[in-house]
């Protein structure tokens, strides 16, 4: 699937037949919108429902295309999925092997299928996953995942069409040390270990809030999981898990994106459902850059308080660091700050591709291979373009831009909203992968734009 086809299918999955937004910049975003469950938790919670022998219920599920892809894969494997508003119910009583060709229809659309392996191996003794997709923000290998599955006793066979696995004698617990605290590999361990025979010990685990929420779900299902202070996770395998009822953690990536949009456009937005504890690192940086926020019981208000924005030095990192998914819209706001800002990306080796469009719009951004942060990361010695220097303040001007990936795409929307003149942003379907009803939300916040099919 090429980028345009991917964009079309992502948009179509949530009933969105819009390809291009024609945005007239210069209007501050103002108003109130609601944050739903986090994409990066909801999709994993859906996979976890496969591990149970009774139905599960997940609340606050956003209408985004990644959710539709996972729903499609669950249904192919015999899980009945019903939606009632924001609630999804999953009945796994008839789980069955799916045809490889049907699974392959989902090739290239999401990274989540790799997480089906553990649950399917437990339920069926075999699993097949298609070529993976997700955003093109680096190599995005799956070596940690495959190593984890091999450690559990799975036999892994790589085919041209995908990866086939089997575990005729079931999975067993293992001692696993991750080379890097990968979010997905940690989830792979959790979803595999909870029903494996015996004990699993995972060191160097990721402990993002979405992972802790997944652990809460697994605990509701009957799993025995302990998280130690040194990021070691110990799991005692159990024979059987039951369904869960859970309200998903809010999407802090979506919240940070709209917060930066408010700052960059000189606006004022209230994000209902956003919470402080999962965003403290973001809030520190937001305040340093000159943004204002107010925490309420039902959400967070973010606004530009007037005056100059200030430059900041930020390093992306694993939790509790500054998330890699927060830097793209922040970079747009930093083009308005007076002085030099630096963003050192240490999670993905190639996540500044989106800045090319910003430069076309007039931004002064240089990308470097050096580690321009307080510590050297694993990308410095490998010559990756992973540090950005942003000089401001600049007035952006409108341009024609094609969305390259989810977070980069959202940052292009923000840039167009701040720009002088008109921008045409195409391939916006990709943004529907992770931002629920973003076009409606733009309207609610008073953005000036037209849509094109
Ligand atoms: N990595 C490997 N080998 C592996 C797995 C990961 O080398 O087998 C490397 C990656 O290439 C990357 C680093 O480890 O350099 C971290 O990747 P990680 O596994 O943590 O990321 P992920 O699980 O693929 C999730 C989110 C991302 C988010 C990252 C970091 C989902 C579906 N995706 O990805 O979200 O940026 O964690 O927090 O949960 C997004 O929402 O736009 C997005 C990309």
């Amino acid at each position: 699937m090429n980028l345009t086809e991917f964009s079309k299918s992502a948009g179509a999955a949530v009933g969105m037949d819009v390809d291009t937004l024609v945005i007239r910049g210069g209007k501050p975003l103002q108003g109130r919108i609601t944050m739903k469950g986090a994409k990066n938790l909801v999709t994993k919670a859906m996979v976890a429902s496969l591990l149970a022998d009774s139905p599960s219920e997940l609340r606050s599920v956003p209408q985004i295309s990644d959710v539709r892809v996972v729903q499609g894969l669950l249904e192919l494997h015999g899980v009945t999925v019903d939606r009632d508003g924001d609630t999804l119910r999953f009945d796994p009583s008839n789980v069955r092997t799916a045809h490889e060709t049907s699974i392959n229809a989902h090739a290239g659309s999401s990274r989540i299928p790799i997480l089906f392996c553990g649950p399917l191996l437990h339920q069926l003794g075999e699993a097949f996953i298609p070529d993976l997709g997700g955003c093109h923000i680096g190599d995005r290998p799956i070596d940690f995942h495959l190593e984890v599955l091999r450690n559990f006793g799975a036999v892994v066979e790589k085919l041209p069409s995908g990866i086939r696995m089997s575990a005729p004698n079931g999975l067993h617990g293992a001692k696993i040390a991750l080379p890097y605290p990968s979010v997905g590999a940690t989830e792979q361990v959790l979803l595999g270990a909870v029903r494996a025979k015996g004990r699993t010990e995972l060191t160097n685990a990721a402990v993002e809030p979405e992972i802790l929420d997944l652990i809460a779900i697994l605990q509701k299902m009957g799993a025995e999981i302990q998280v130690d202070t040194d990021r070691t996770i110990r799991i005692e395998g159990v024979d059987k898990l039951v369904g869960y009822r859970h309200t998903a953690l809010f999407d802090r990536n979506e919240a940070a994106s709209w917060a930066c949009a408010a700052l960059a456009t000189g606006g004022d937005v209230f994000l209902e459902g956003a919470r402080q504890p999962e965003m403290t690192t973001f809030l520190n940086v937001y305040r340093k850059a000159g943004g204002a926020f107010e925490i309420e019981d039902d959400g967070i208000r973010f606004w530009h308080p007037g005056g100059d924005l200030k430059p900041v030095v930020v390093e992306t990192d694993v939790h509790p660091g500054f998330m890699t998914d927060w830097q793209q819209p922040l970079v747009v706001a930093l083009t308005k700050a007076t002085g030099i800002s630096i963003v050192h990306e240490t999670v993905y080796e190639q996540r500044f591709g989106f800045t090319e469009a910003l430069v076309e719009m007039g931004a002064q951004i240089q990308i470097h291979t050096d580690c321009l942060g307080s510590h050297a990361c694993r990308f410095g010695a490998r010559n990756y373009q992973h540090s950005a220097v942003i000089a401001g303040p600049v007035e952006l001007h409108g341009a024609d831009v094609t969305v390259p990936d989810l977070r980069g795409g959202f940052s292009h929307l923000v840039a167009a909203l701040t720009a002088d003149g008109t921008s045409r942003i195409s391939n916006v379907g990709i943004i529907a992968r992770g931002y629920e009803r973003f076009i409606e939300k733009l309207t609610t916040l008073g953005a000036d734009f037209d849509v094109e099919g």
Side-chain angles (χ1 to χ4, degrees):
M1 212 174 342
N2 67 32
L3 205 59
T4 306
E5 287 163 354
F6 179 40
S7 171
K8 279 201 179 119
S9 82
V14 288
M16 193 183 98
D17 56 1
V18 175
D19 173 68
T20 301
L21 294 190
V22 179
I23 299 179
R24 290 167 290 276
K27 269 189 87 183
L29 293 188
Q30 271 166 344
R32 183 184 179 102
I33 51 176
T34 303
M35 304 296 99
K36 295 266 190 57
K39 162 177 95 68
N40 293 347
L41 173 271
V42 164
T43 43
K44 302 17 171 343
M46 293 172 74
V47 179
S49 72
L50 254 180
L51 286 161
D53 61 6
S54 54
S56 293
E57 181 179 294
L58 184 61
R59 296 180 287 254
S60 193
V61 179
Q63 303 224 18
I64 52 175
S65 59
D66 271 18
V67 164
R68 300 310 293 253
V69 169
V70 180
Q71 175 174 345
L73 279 169
L74 285 171
E75 287 169 343
L76 279 179
H77 288 93
V79 178
T80 309
V81 185
D82 292 313
R83 186 182 263 275
D84 176 8
D86 295 338
T87 300
L88 284 187
R89 292 193 188 83
F90 313 96
D91 185 349
S93 24
N94 293 310
V95 172
R96 57 166 188 266
T97 301
H99 288 297
E100 289 185 11
T101 38
S102 327
I103 297 176
N104 257 330
H106 292 278
S109 54
S110 163
R111 306 264 307 160
I112 310 296
I114 188 81
L115 294 177
F116 275 70
C117 296
L120 287 178
L121 289 170
H122 284 306
Q123 293 283 30
L124 303 167
E126 59 180 5
F128 175 80
I129 56 146
D131 255 4
L132 297 176
C135 286
H136 301 287
I137 50 179
D139 263 355
R140 304 199 76 179
I142 52 166
D143 49 338
F144 302 167
H145 292 259
L146 298 183
E147 196 50 32
V148 164
L149 291 159
R150 287 192 188 102
N151 271 303
F152 285 146
V155 179
V156 177
E157 193 188 348
K158 286 192 192 171
L159 307 170
S161 55
I163 298 173
R164 192 180 294 151
M165 280 172 221
S166 59
N169 304 315
L171 300 181
H172 54 73
K175 273 196 164 200
I176 300 168
L178 287 180
Y180 181 84
S182 147
V183 167
T186 299
E187 293 160 343
Q188 185 72 263
V189 172
L190 289 168
L191 293 167
V194 283
R195 277 188 50 188
K197 275 196 185 63
R199 183 174 301 171
T200 293
E201 181 188 286
L202 171 66
T203 48
N204 203 20
V207 288
E208 266 61 10
E210 292 78 12
I211 291 178
L212 299 183
D213 209 32
L214 179 63
I215 290 176
I217 289 172
L218 293 168
Q219 187 178 51
K220 286 178 177 175
M221 297 173 77
E224 290 181 30
I225 304 171
Q226 180 187 316
V227 183
D228 291 349
T229 45
D230 62 354
R231 289 195 287 104
T232 298
I233 301 182
R234 291 170 217 282
I235 304 144
E236 205 67 58
V238 296
D239 289 341
K240 159 188 155 84
L241 293 172
V242 295
Y244 64 83
R245 279 184 292 122
H246 192 76
T247 302
L249 175 73
F250 80 101
D251 199 315
R252 63 202 176 109
N253 293 340
E254 185 192 11
S257 299
W258 289 110
C260 289
L263 189 60
T265 60
D268 187 340
V269 300
F270 186 82
L271 305 182
E272 196 179 324
R275 286 164 25 115
Q276 181 182 20
E278 293 79 11
M279 295 193 77
T280 49
T281 306
F282 176 81
L283 295 173
N284 288 337
V285 173
Y286 198 76
R287 183 175 276 161
K288 272 193 193 142
F293 59 86
E294 204 164 51
I295 313 290
E296 304 289 351
D297 285 348
D298 59 343
I300 307 180
R301 176 186 166 208
F302 291 94
W303 75 100
H304 188 313
D308 285 354
L309 293 185
K310 295 177 217 115
V312 292
V313 177
V314 178
E315 254 169 332
T316 67
D317 213 335
V318 296
H319 187 74
F322 190 90
M323 282 205 76
T324 166
D325 306 290
W326 294 338
Q327 55 100 339
Q328 305 77 359
L330 178 72
V331 164
V332 180
L334 293 178
T335 65
K336 311 277 163 207
T338 306
I340 305 283
S341 296
I342 293 175
V343 179
H344 180 205
E345 169 63 57
T346 78
V347 179
Y348 289 107
E349 70 274 22
Q350 210 183 311
R351 219 175 179 183
F352 282 123
F354 72 96
T355 60
E356 280 173 29
L358 302 186
V359 169
E360 244 178 74
M361 297 171 92
Q364 291 184 20
I365 303 175
Q366 284 183 351
I367 310 297
H368 295 263
T369 52
D370 298 319
C371 295
L372 299 181
S374 59
H375 74 273
C377 77
R378 62 209 161 105
F379 303 140
R382 289 151 71 190
N383 239 17
Y384 287 122
Q385 303 264 350
H386 72 295
S387 293
V389 178
I390 304 126
V394 290
E395 269 301 321
L396 300 183
H397 52 76
D400 288 1
V401 170
T402 302
V403 165
D405 64 72
L406 176 62
R407 307 292 169 198
F410 191 89
S411 83
H412 293 158
L413 291 185
V414 179
L417 290 166
T418 71
D420 185 24
T422 301
S423 300
R424 292 184 88 255
I425 314 287
S426 54
N427 265 5
V428 294
I430 292 177
I431 300 173
R433 279 193 52 217
Y435 292 90
E436 186 187 46
R437 300 197 176 108
F438 67 94
I439 295 181
E440 274 172 58
K441 288 180 183 172
L442 284 171
T443 304
T444 304
L445 297 178
D448 182 8
F449 67 97
D450 293 318
V451 298
E452 282 178 11

